Amino acid sequence: MLPLVLPSELRVPRYHFNVEDGQSVPDPEGTMLPDLESARREAVRLAGRLLDDDPAHFWSSGAWRVVVTDDARRILFTLDFRAREGAELAAVEPRG
C-alpha cells in the first residue's frame, strides 16, 4: 500500500522554536501549527515564558533570540532580545 500524500495546502506545517542565549538550544521536534501567524504568536508566548521563568538569566546573559524555522531549517523569522542598563544606573549599581 502506498503512503498517503496530502497536497501541500492540506498539510499542517511544523515550526521549530530554537533559542540562542549564549548557547544554542534547538527544537528538534517542532510544533505543528496551522499558519505563520500562529507561529508568530507562539514565538512571542515562548519568549514571555522564558523571561518569566528566569528573569535574572535574561539580565546576565546579554542578547538572546528565538529563531523560528520550518522543517527544512529555513529561517522564517527571529525575535531578538537585549537588556541594557542606562548609563546612570550602570554607574550607581554594582555588578555582582
Side-chain angles (χ1 to χ4, degrees):
M1 182 174 217
L2 294 174
L4 177 63
V5 177
L6 295 174
S8 61
E9 62 272 6
L10 296 179
R11 288 186 226 144
V12 177
R14 183 178 304 271
Y15 299 92
H16 300 268
F17 299 88
N18 309 289
V19 177
E20 298 174 4
D21 64 349
Q23 59 184 341
S24 183
V25 183
D27 174 16
E29 306 231 353
T31 303
M32 294 176 73
L33 294 167
D35 54 33
L36 187 59
E37 187 58 35
S38 297
R40 288 180 175 138
R41 284 194 301 271
E42 182 57 29
V44 170
R45 286 187 198 109
L46 170 63
R49 287 191 304 269
L50 292 170
L51 288 168
D52 190 47
D53 286 348
D54 193 0
H57 180 69
F58 173 64
W59 285 101
S60 66
S61 66
W64 63 278
R65 64 179 41 175
V66 177
V67 180
V68 180
T69 61
D70 62 12
D71 267 341
R73 298 297 184 206
R74 292 177 295 214
I75 296 175
L76 303 174
F77 60 91
T78 302
L79 299 179
D80 291 305
F81 297 89
R82 181 180 188 103
R84 284 187 234 165
E85 295 176 343
E88 294 297 318
L89 181 59
V92 200
E93 189 172 279
R95 294 195 173 223

